[in-house]
Each structure stands twice: as structure tokens, then as C-alpha cells.
Amino acid sequence: MTDTIQPKPGILDIAPYVGGKSKIEGVAEPMKLSSNENALGAGQKARDAYQSAVGNIHVYPDGRASKLRDAVADHHGLEPERLIFGNGSDEVFALLNQTYLQPGDNIVTGQYGFLAYRISALANQASVKLAPEPGFKAEVDAILEQVDDRTRIVYISSPSNPTGSYNTAEETRRLHAALPSNVLLVIDEAYAEFVTAPDWETSFPLAKDADNVVVTRTFSKIHGLGGLRIGFGYAPLKVAEAVDRIRLPFNVSVPGLEAAVAALGDEAHQKASRDLVETWRPRLTQAIKGFGFEVFPSAGNFVLVRFANAERSAAANDYLHTKGIIVRPVGGYGLPDCLRITIGTDDQNRAVLDALSEFAAA
């Protein structure tokens, strides 16, 4: 016993999440390409809806997010009662961990899986088992090897951040079929709208007929609403009802709800955002490879660039800073020799290529 208040065991051992850097000393308006934000920002319809909602910010939001619930259900062909809404999809992960994890339980995810899965699992005094990703993507057999009788949740990202890899529809179905029925499979599809690969498909149909699958999406990427923190999960009804018992009663804001509904209906903005990524993703990949650096295949709105070693990666990051460009070092994911670069506007992408060309030449 101590004479001061202490957090529960394990909390102080958790490394806090560190978001992408947003400032460079001495640079008034740097090019921020560190957080996979939508380079086009939010669409005009979402901005207008946000402004219109300002007059109602003294009113508590609809705790059930009914308007957005119906819009999402209609847009994706889902049952509205099976949707979980959160303060970003991060909160959906945290709610699932809080609902299903006890001390001694574990989650399984890929070696380079999104850090948010791990943080809230550890906060619930569960352990984290990482499946090796020698090919820089989640491998079904490697994940299954980590599953034991205390595994409660398996997380995969498809596409995955920060590697940009994805799991095919066949791989995802095979993983689900091999999991015990008492293990929840959570499939994070934050970057789904940017995928063009023909062998990828959303796991909504898999979740529709399964008792242990949750699919999550976010409004932060294709819709450009990262600052409003809106995410959702499509879950079995019994899972959605269990989570709803512990969800904070007003966890999504009034302006956020209105902007998300408007964004969902703004097909022109979604298309423009996809077109920008589809145009520049191969261009950046080809050009950066031409400079002598490795670029991983990406299905998201970013590319992951690998340098000769951690020192060269740090030097490249520093050089980009001198050009007013902020990208994301990913040493926290165990990739100290890599930088993740968000696909930006035309001018931003050209600036990145110019800077990396100069760095390579130097």
C-alpha cells in the first residue's frame, strides 16, 4: 500500500499514442502530410451542415444518433439497430475492449496493426499478442497461431495503417472460419473507400450473417471530418446492445452528426477525393522508387517509404522539414527505417517529389 492515489496496474506501462506532427519551428504554414487526412478537406455540404448546426450547440445531441444511423444504414444496406457510433472508430475499439476484455484475456493483431487496438486492451488489463508480418501484411496463419483459449478479440486492418497492405476477401473469410465462435473478429476498414484492388471487398456481407464479426468505418478519411471524430461499427445485435450499455450517452456532437449526414450524401466530394488518391498513389510510388527508395504497395491514401536504415530515414525526415513538409516517422510501429507520406494536393505531392529527389541526389 502507498499513501498516494495510484492508477491500476499496467496503466503507467502503456506508451501513449502520439499523433502526426503538425508544426515545424519557423515555418508558418507547413505541408502537413503526417496524419492521412483528406487533402481536399471536408466537402462543402458537410461544412454548410456544420455551420447550420451552430445554432443548436446548446442542445444535447441525440444519443442514438438516429439521423446518422438511418443515413449510414441506407447508404450501406445495413440494419440500423446493429450500428455502434463513436467518437471516431477509435472509441468503437475502446468500447469493444471494455465490453469483452477481462484481466488475463488477450487480443491478437498484426505486428504492424494500428496502435489504438493495443492501448485500450492494455488499459483493460488484457495482453496483446502480435502476429508476425514478414511480408508487411496481416497473415491468416500467423494470426491463428497466436489465438489461444484466452483470446477474446482479433483485430485486422484492411487496408492497414501504416503499411498500406490489405487482406483479400478470401483471406478474411478463411480467418473468420478458423476462429472459435467465442472470439470476436474486428475488421477495421478506415481506408475502404480508397481501395481499387479487385480481390478486396468490404466485410459488411460477412458481418451480416456472422455472430462474431464487427466491421468499423470512419468519417475521418474519405469524408474529411477528422476534426469532428465520427466513426461507426456494424456488429451483431447482441454485441451492439452490450456496447450500448457502457457507451457514454452523448458521445457524438450535434455539429458532427449533421456534418456526417451531409458528407455521406456528398458523392461528388467522395469521388474527387478518390480520384486524387488514384491519380497520385501510382505516380508517387513510381517516382520515389526511381529515386532509389523502396515503396510498399498501398491501398490507402498514403504511401510507406523505406530507406536504407533508420539513420537515413531520420535524415530524410529532417530534410523534408527544411522544405516545410511534415511526414510521419513510424518507429512506434517497429518501422524505424520508414516514413509514411499522406497523398496531398497536386502542389504538395510535387513538392514531396522535388524534396526527395534532392535528398537522394545529395
Side-chain angles (χ1 to χ4, degrees):
M1 295 290 292
T2 66
D3 57 359
T4 60
I5 188 168
Q6 296 290 324
K8 63 186 179 183
I11 294 295
L12 297 183
D13 296 326
I14 299 172
Y17 183 83
V18 179
K21 186 176 179 179
S22 60
K23 297 179 181 179
I24 300 175
E25 186 174 354
V27 179
E29 295 184 6
M31 300 179 198
K32 182 173 182 279
L33 303 175
S34 59
S35 298
N36 297 343
E37 293 150 339
N38 189 322
L40 301 182
Q44 189 61 50
K45 290 183 179 180
R47 294 199 298 271
D48 290 345
Y50 182 91
Q51 290 292 340
S52 296
V54 169
N56 292 320
I57 59 174
H58 64 293
V59 178
Y60 284 110
D62 172 12
R64 288 287 294 165
S66 301
K67 187 176 178 181
L68 180 58
R69 181 179 299 274
D70 290 342
V72 168
D74 181 66
H75 184 82
H76 293 289
L78 308 175
E79 303 92 326
E81 66 274 11
R82 292 176 56 178
L83 295 172
I84 302 166
F85 288 91
N87 184 29
S89 51
D90 295 4
E91 188 188 19
V92 178
F93 307 140
L95 287 168
L96 291 169
N97 286 341
Q98 188 179 353
T99 301
Y100 290 101
L101 297 179
Q102 301 181 64
D105 290 340
N106 67 70
I107 69 164
V108 175
T109 191
Q111 177 182 359
Y112 304 117
F114 186 36
L115 297 177
Y117 314 147
R118 315 178 196 181
I119 291 173
S120 62
L122 294 169
N124 284 284
Q125 296 178 287
S127 60
V128 177
K129 301 183 74 175
L130 299 178
E133 295 185 19
F136 298 93
K137 65 168 285 185
E139 301 291 348
V140 173
D141 292 332
I143 290 172
L144 292 173
E145 287 179 6
Q146 296 296 322
V147 175
D148 60 25
D149 60 359
R150 293 307 300 269
T151 302
R152 296 293 174 262
I153 306 178
V154 170
Y155 284 96
I156 62 170
S157 310
S158 186
S160 180
N161 168 35
T163 63
S165 62
Y166 68 92
N167 290 101
T168 67
E170 187 278 329
E171 288 171 337
T172 304
R173 286 193 293 267
R174 184 164 72 87
L175 173 60
H176 173 250
L179 286 175
S181 59
N182 65 340
V183 173
L184 195 64
L185 174 61
V186 181
I187 304 162
D188 178 0
E189 294 186 350
Y191 298 92
E193 292 88 353
F194 299 113
V195 185
T196 57
D199 55 354
W200 181 92
E201 64 182 40
T202 178
S203 290
F204 284 142
L206 177 64
K208 182 179 285 288
D209 298 323
D211 292 329
N212 62 334
V213 175
V214 177
V215 178
T216 65
R217 292 283 184 99
T218 180
F219 281 82
S220 298
K221 306 305 178 184
I222 191 73
H223 300 295
L225 301 183
L228 293 183
R229 314 305 304 125
I230 311 282
F232 71 90
Y234 175 58
L237 183 59
K238 63 181 180 181
V239 173
E241 290 176 341
V243 168
D244 206 42
R245 293 173 180 269
I246 63 168
R247 175 186 57 81
L248 293 176
F250 306 112
N251 62 332
V252 181
S253 72
V254 168
L257 289 170
E258 294 297 331
V261 171
L264 200 63
D266 193 347
E267 295 182 2
H269 182 68
Q270 294 168 43
K271 182 180 185 303
S273 301
R274 281 194 300 270
D275 288 348
L276 177 67
V277 170
E278 290 175 20
T279 297
W280 275 101
R281 188 166 56 194
R283 287 185 185 178
L284 288 170
T285 299
Q286 182 178 9
I288 296 172
K289 283 183 176 179
F291 303 151
F293 309 124
E294 182 179 0
V295 184
F296 293 88
S298 175
N301 66 336
F302 58 90
V303 293
L304 185 67
V305 182
R306 194 179 196 184
F307 298 84
N309 50 49
E311 289 73 20
R312 291 298 290 166
S313 176
N317 188 52
D318 290 343
Y319 188 79
L320 288 168
H321 282 183
T322 68
K323 302 297 183 178
I325 301 168
I326 306 174
V327 298
R328 181 68 182 269
V330 284
Y333 284 92
L335 295 165
D337 55 351
C338 294
L339 295 176
R340 191 192 68 196
I341 305 174
T342 304
I343 296 169
T345 63
D346 293 349
D347 289 344
Q348 289 172 336
N349 296 328
R350 293 188 184 102
V352 167
L353 293 180
D354 288 344
L356 287 178
S357 176
E358 293 170 8
F359 176 75

